[in-house]
Amino acid sequence: MTQSLLPIYELADAIVAACTSQARLLLSAPTGSGKSTQVPQILLDRGLLGDGEVVVLQPRRLAARLLATRVAAERGGALGAEVGYQVRLEGQTSAATRIRYVTEGILLRRFLTSPDLAGVSAILFDEFHERHVYGDITLARARMLQQTTRPDLILVVMSATLNTGAVRSYLEPCPVLSSAGRQYPVAVTYLPRPVDARRQPIWDTAATAFDQLVRDGVEGDVLIFMPGAYEIMRTIEALGELTCTRGWSLLPLYSELPPAEQDRALRPAAGRKVIVATNVAETSITIDGVRVVIDSGLARMARFDPHRGINTLYIEPISQAAADQRAGRAGRTAPGQCLRLWTAAEHQGRAAYEVSEIRRIDLAEIVLVLHAQGIDDVRAFPWLEAPTEVALARAEHLLGDLGAIDSTSGQLTALGQQMVAFPMHPRYARMLLAGQTYGCTREAALIAALTQTQDVLIRRPPRHVQAARDHLLGDRADSDFFLLMLAWRYAQQHGFQLDACQRLGIHAGASRQVTPLYQQFLHMAQQQGLTLNERSASQEAIRKCLLTAFIDQLALRCDEGTLRCDLVHGRRGELARDSVVRQSRLVVASEIDEIEHGSGEINVILRLATAIDAAWLAELYPEALSERTDVAFDSSGKRVISTRLTLFRDLVLSTKFTGTPPEDAAAALLATAVLAGRMTLKQWTPAIEQWIARLNSLARWCPELGLAPIGLEERRALLHQLCLGSMSAKEIADKPIWPVLKAWLAPGQAACLDAYVPERFPLPGGRNAPIRYAEDTPPVLSARIQDLYGLTHTPRIARDRQPLTVEILAPNQRPVQVTQDLASFWQHTYPALKKALQKRYPKHEWR
């Protein structure tokens, strides 16, 4: 198909008109319509770019390079001349470049050196439906620029499956154009029953499915989607063992492959081929000849890893929209078919769309870049979709801990300005900068690479494997990373061979993945002018370097007999039992693992720890050290003690007793201990509680008397007064309460208390019956029936405002009736009660 016959050219005039009149456009067109390759050429050839260039943002490095290569070939030029590409760590561009394909982070960082994007006439946001956070932020920055100093800047948002509502509102006024494209029907089928991945790995399932499809006589090439490079290579191994693949080319396709290998997967082959790819083949890239798609339904998704405090790629099920994208790759040139390696019922349970990255990743790098662009109030930033407050606060907290932003002013620091130049997570930018300071840049790069993969050392190996590991690598060191570094170098020296690695319980696959990451980090360090040390660095230098990168995870063991630790920011955890630094008092943990038990209890385990010398904190972070005097109640000794605390931020490093505490503070703590029931006062009897209840009741019933009731805080004040001058439970145990309590009332108020809420009530027979007072129930008069003779109506107190509840007792002092209507009792209840009781107690008076 020639370029001019591509479906997108049906919209060419409308695209030009929209970009000319509004400088904004939302373009929805399916994969294969030509939008990624032709729209930038339309803008250039129709003269909309002037002397500038069009920058095309791509979510993936592979797509950026391949698209640039294809467009350069279509225009008959060399890659890097009129058409070029730029991704992290590589690129081919020149002063003549007019169409530049870049990954999303590249343009956002260009704002740092060129806030007005000089030389850029148009920005195309391709495959925007994937909602990568860098695409969101770059769109926001471009919109801000267009609304201020660059109204001429053309913005085009392009997607195959975009829910246009939110983006259209964000870019309003903004025309929307849609292309139906050309798509042949694709028959989608599912597995009849779920697959247990623990028993049958996904690559074996894919190979079995491929074998059956070939037996059924499918035509054309086959595209198999797998989540990552490891799964791709295992799939190719499984396919290679099938007799039906003889004569087929088995080709991997993923971002880390050398460019020549990537190109080989896309070029036409002499015979039939199977391309096993990650989701790089889901959009943007067209692979001619594919008639069949086998979809694992999995992808590696960036998500915040709370254990490591960084973004990590997790293997997760893809959404229904992504599955539709993958299926569409089989219908580009003819009718095709797609076999999904999950059931139809499982498909209905999948999310309709992917969750946008801004809702699932750590934002520290984004927030750092925004600060570097002069945006200090990130909450006021015009987000397309605002992140959660928790995510923003977490990012700012980490940047403050790393020294990138001033925790008080929120301004970018000089150190932060250095860190922003590194296209990586700020934690590792800080580590590489520290590596330069301490002469251990190579080791810092290796440690950064080791933290990005799964564990290199297999945990809890068999006893004989552990013994061999300990013999060769050692079981004591000042950092768990020293053991990992030795293990990786051992694996590297043995060519990552499985047998050699298994002897020491080393994960061969994870070790192999470390190597390209290590090279990337070294390359970044060199790009930023850091010196790569030729000699091995000292262990002390490496440990200091680790301290700077993980200072927010500094931990202090509670005591020598336990692995329990206190961490900065008020957290608690336990050092892993297999850590080689489990005897160290002060450590930094590079990984914090939260393990939930069936009971709901969560254990916080500190892994990948490094021993720290306390003196380094004063050397590197003098401003974070402080001292304060604390007065506390010692529960074991039941006394108040005064201590001098040395703190790193909020972590208490040391405690020293300092003598007699201040009287006022001691009294307050003793009062609190009494209220909490940790100490008792012998003189605080039930009579005291009755007095307080009488006072509070009268204050409630007769407010005109102006009595001050005694609540919780008033009790605290009374106890504080009682405890003044004392330091321990022993000193206050026998203190008299009444003098302090009665001083609460003014002289005339005590008389009111006795007159209006008496302790006892006089009865006709001459006895004084006790009254029980309580805060929330009416007062109770308790008396024998014989003592109540002559009392015909319910008695009242508090200026006759409050009736007493009468608790009527039998001669044996047990209650037989409770009433607030004594007249009714005598008339209706007493006759029958008298008859019953008189038989039991004939010697008592009965009227």
Side-chain angles (χ1 to χ4, degrees):
M1 183 184 294
T2 62
Q3 294 170 245
S4 60
L5 294 179
L6 287 168
I8 199 66
Y9 274 95
E10 298 172 2
L11 299 176
D13 291 340
I15 290 171
V16 172
C19 292
T20 302
S21 62
Q22 298 286 356
R24 293 181 181 182
L25 172 62
L26 185 54
L27 177 59
S28 178
T31 301
S33 61
K35 63 181 184 304
S36 302
T37 58
Q38 305 308 308
V39 172
Q41 296 187 68
I42 290 171
L43 297 183
L44 176 60
D45 294 339
R46 298 287 189 97
L48 273 69
L49 303 182
D51 295 330
E53 67 176 345
V54 55
V55 178
V56 187
L57 270 65
Q58 286 295 322
R60 298 179 182 84
R61 291 175 292 163
L62 176 59
R65 185 185 70 81
L66 293 175
L67 288 169
T69 301
R70 178 166 180 168
V71 173
E74 288 179 358
R75 300 185 70 82
L79 182 62
E82 184 186 43
V83 182
Y85 77 97
Q86 187 177 356
V87 301
R88 193 178 72 173
L89 304 180
E90 66 172 290
Q92 284 184 259
T93 61
S94 66
T97 298
R98 306 293 305 284
I99 299 175
R100 185 190 303 256
Y101 287 86
V102 304
T103 44
E104 295 163 325
I106 295 294
L107 186 60
L108 184 58
R109 288 180 173 275
R110 187 165 171 177
F111 278 96
L112 295 172
T113 55
S114 179
D116 286 338
L117 294 186
V120 177
S121 298
I123 305 173
L124 273 56
F125 297 82
D126 199 13
E127 308 302 348
F128 196 76
H129 65 276
E130 296 192 21
R131 293 297 308 282
H132 289 194
V133 67
Y134 271 113
D136 280 15
I137 302 302
T138 306
L139 178 61
R141 290 290 289 119
R143 192 188 73 155
M144 292 171 65
L145 184 60
Q146 191 190 60
Q147 290 172 336
T148 53
T149 59
R150 289 290 311 278
D152 61 306
L153 182 64
I154 297 171
L155 305 179
V156 181
V157 177
M158 306 192 301
S159 174
T161 59
L162 181 65
N163 183 355
T164 61
V167 181
R168 183 175 186 177
S169 298
Y170 188 72
L171 293 176
E172 202 74 44
C174 176
V176 178
L177 297 177
S178 297
S179 170
R182 294 196 184 99
Q183 177 73 34
Y184 290 92
V186 176
V188 176
T189 56
Y190 297 88
L191 294 182
R193 62 186 62 85
V195 175
D196 185 349
R198 293 171 298 181
R199 296 185 177 182
Q200 183 174 352
I202 193 65
W203 46 84
D204 287 342
T205 304
T208 301
F210 174 85
D211 187 50
Q212 185 60 51
L213 288 170
V214 172
R215 292 176 187 275
D216 291 343
V218 296
E219 299 179 359
D221 296 335
V222 178
L223 173 60
I224 302 177
F225 283 101
M226 284 287 156
Y230 175 76
E231 293 79 13
I232 286 174
M233 299 316 296
R234 293 302 301 268
T235 302
I236 288 178
E237 289 175 10
L239 291 171
E241 295 174 0
L242 301 174
T243 56
C244 67
T245 56
R246 290 174 184 169
W248 289 67
S249 297
L250 308 179
L251 304 169
L253 181 62
Y254 54 93
S255 295
E256 291 74 21
L257 273 178
E261 293 295 312
Q262 295 172 350
D263 295 341
R264 181 169 169 242
L266 300 175
R267 283 196 303 265
R272 298 175 72 181
K273 62 182 179 180
V274 181
I275 304 99
V276 189
T278 61
N279 54 3
V280 297
E282 191 175 298
T283 55
S284 299
I285 301 169
T286 297
I287 307 175
D288 293 329
V290 170
R291 298 279 298 279
V292 179
V293 166
I294 299 175
D295 188 1
S296 68
L298 302 171
R300 291 189 180 272
M301 306 288 287
R303 194 177 293 278
F304 175 63
D305 182 350
H307 305 158
R308 300 174 179 177
I310 58 171
N311 294 323
T312 302
L313 292 175
Y314 290 92
I315 295 179
E316 297 181 355
I318 61 173
S319 68
Q320 294 181 16
D324 290 342
Q325 281 284 309
R326 291 182 175 185
R329 310 309 284 173
R332 286 282 295 111
T333 57
Q337 58 182 304
C338 170
L339 173 58
R340 292 173 174 166
L341 302 182
W342 64 96
T343 67
E346 288 174 324
H347 185 75
Q348 292 303 313
R350 295 192 172 207
Y353 295 93
E354 310 293 353
V355 176
S356 58
E357 263 194 350
I358 205 159
R359 289 282 171 176
R360 52 185 166 84
I361 70 168
D362 173 65
L363 301 177
E365 187 176 355
I366 289 293
V367 172
L368 180 62
V369 172
L370 290 178
H371 273 277
Q373 295 178 9
I375 301 168
D376 294 326
D377 185 2
V378 293
R379 287 162 184 78
F381 183 73
W383 306 91
L384 171 58
E385 180 182 355
T388 65
E389 173 58 29
V390 170
L392 284 177
R394 182 175 61 222
E396 290 179 328
H397 213 157
L398 175 59
L399 292 174
D401 283 339
L402 296 176
I405 59 175
D406 187 285
S407 298
T408 303
S409 66
Q411 301 290 313
L412 190 71
T413 64
L415 178 61
Q417 195 67 56
Q418 288 181 281
M419 290 166 60
V420 79
F422 290 81
M424 62 176 67
H425 192 280
R427 191 184 294 281
Y428 299 108
R430 182 70 188 94
M431 184 185 289
L432 288 181
L433 287 170
Q436 170 78 359
T437 302
Y438 298 115
C440 58
T441 308
R442 287 186 181 277
E443 289 82 358
L446 178 54
I447 288 171
L450 286 165
T451 62
Q452 307 295 303
T453 65
Q454 67 184 104
D455 293 337
V456 168
L457 282 175
I458 297 170
R459 292 175 183 166
R460 295 183 292 276
R463 190 170 298 177
H464 71 282
V465 173
Q466 183 67 56
R469 180 192 293 177
D470 292 345
H471 176 72
L472 194 61
L473 305 181
D475 62 348
R476 291 292 180 92
D478 287 329
S479 174
D480 290 320
F481 278 112
F482 295 159
L483 208 61
L484 294 184
M485 294 162 77
L486 288 172
W488 178 77
R489 290 192 174 109
Y490 171 89
Q492 184 190 43
Q493 290 166 3
H494 288 80
F496 305 106
Q497 294 176 1
L498 187 60
D499 290 346
C501 290
Q502 284 180 336
R503 283 196 292 271
L504 298 188
I506 297 173
H507 196 298
S511 300
R512 188 186 300 275
Q513 291 172 20
V514 168
T515 304
L517 292 169
Y518 177 38
Q519 296 301 326
Q520 284 184 18
F521 282 123
L522 287 177
H523 186 69
M524 290 181 197
Q526 286 181 303
Q527 279 191 323
Q528 298 305 320
L530 302 188
T531 303
L532 302 185
N533 50 301
E534 295 301 325
R535 296 183 178 181
S536 297
S538 70
Q539 291 195 358
E540 179 177 317
I542 299 169
R543 288 160 60 203
K544 283 185 177 180
C545 182
L546 281 161
L547 173 62
T548 62
F550 295 97
I551 190 62
D552 59 310
Q553 296 178 175
L554 182 69
L556 181 76
R557 282 178 55 207
C558 296
D559 56 64
E560 292 184 1
T562 180
L563 295 175
R564 289 185 297 107
C565 299
D566 292 324
L567 289 89
V568 289
H569 305 315
R571 297 168 293 172
R572 285 202 148 188
E574 185 174 324
L575 191 60
R577 295 186 180 277
D578 58 357
S579 172
V580 295
V581 298
R582 56 188 176 275
Q583 302 302 320
S584 302
R585 179 173 178 272
L586 191 64
V587 302
V588 287
S590 302
E591 185 176 313
I592 298 181
D593 198 3
E594 293 187 354
I595 301 173
E596 184 172 353
H597 297 282
S599 62
E601 181 183 351
I602 295 178
N603 278 3
V604 180
I605 307 299
L606 313 181
R607 304 189 190 279
L608 295 182
T610 300
I612 299 301
D613 189 327
W616 298 348
L617 299 177
E619 173 190 339
L620 302 178
Y621 301 96
E623 75 290 345
L625 289 168
S626 63
E627 289 190 343
R628 76 164 189 255
T629 299
D630 262 14
V631 179
F633 179 75
D634 177 16
S635 296
S636 58
K638 292 192 175 181
R639 63 181 299 107
V640 177
I641 56 175
S642 178
T643 53
R644 187 71 174 169
L645 306 180
T646 301
L647 299 97
F648 179 82
R649 296 177 181 158
D650 64 344
L651 178 65
V652 177
L653 298 177
S654 64
T655 304
K656 184 184 295 184
F657 294 108
T658 59
T660 305
E663 282 191 359
D664 194 64
L669 288 167
L670 290 173
T672 299
V674 172
L675 286 172
R678 295 196 294 269
M679 295 192 310
T680 57
L681 302 176
K682 294 178 182 178
Q683 301 300 318
W684 197 287
T685 61
I688 298 289
E689 291 295 342
Q690 274 295 290
W691 189 90
I692 293 174
R694 289 167 60 207
L695 171 64
N696 291 348
S697 296
L698 185 58
R700 187 168 63 253
W701 297 329
C702 301
E704 72 276 8
L705 297 177
L707 296 172
I710 298 176
L712 178 61
E713 290 310 311
E714 289 76 20
R715 282 176 182 256
R716 189 185 305 277
L718 287 167
L719 288 168
H720 185 279
Q721 183 180 349
L722 182 76
C723 296
L724 272 175
S726 301
M727 297 292 162
S728 67
K730 185 177 181 181
E731 293 176 54
I732 66 171
D734 293 310
K735 278 204 169 186
I737 311 299
W738 284 113
V740 175
L741 199 61
K742 291 192 174 180
W744 185 262
L745 298 178
Q749 292 178 327
C752 290
L753 193 67
D754 291 334
Y756 300 137
V757 283
E759 293 182 79
R760 308 180 77 84
F761 188 86
L763 298 175
R767 291 182 180 273
N768 290 325
I771 303 175
R772 297 196 307 271
Y773 292 88
E775 294 287 347
D776 302 322
T777 58
V780 177
L781 172 70
S782 185
R784 293 184 312 146
I785 290 179
Q786 286 75 15
D787 295 329
L788 293 171
Y789 290 155
L791 189 64
T792 58
H793 292 85
T794 301
R796 305 176 75 86
I797 59 173
R799 294 181 169 179
D800 288 335
R801 297 177 187 177
Q802 177 62 42
L804 295 176
T805 297
V806 182
E807 182 183 61
I808 303 170
L809 308 178
N812 65 353
Q813 301 294 322
R814 293 183 177 177
V816 291
Q817 187 71 29
V818 177
T819 182
Q820 276 195 330
D821 189 349
L822 200 57
S824 176
F825 166 77
W826 291 123
Q827 182 178 358
H828 301 293
T829 308
Y830 177 69
L833 187 62
K834 170 188 172 182
K835 186 176 181 181
L837 292 176
Q838 193 172 19
K839 292 180 180 179
R840 295 173 58 189
Y841 305 102
K843 295 182 179 181
H844 289 264
E845 178 186 7
W846 298 100
R847 297 183 185 178

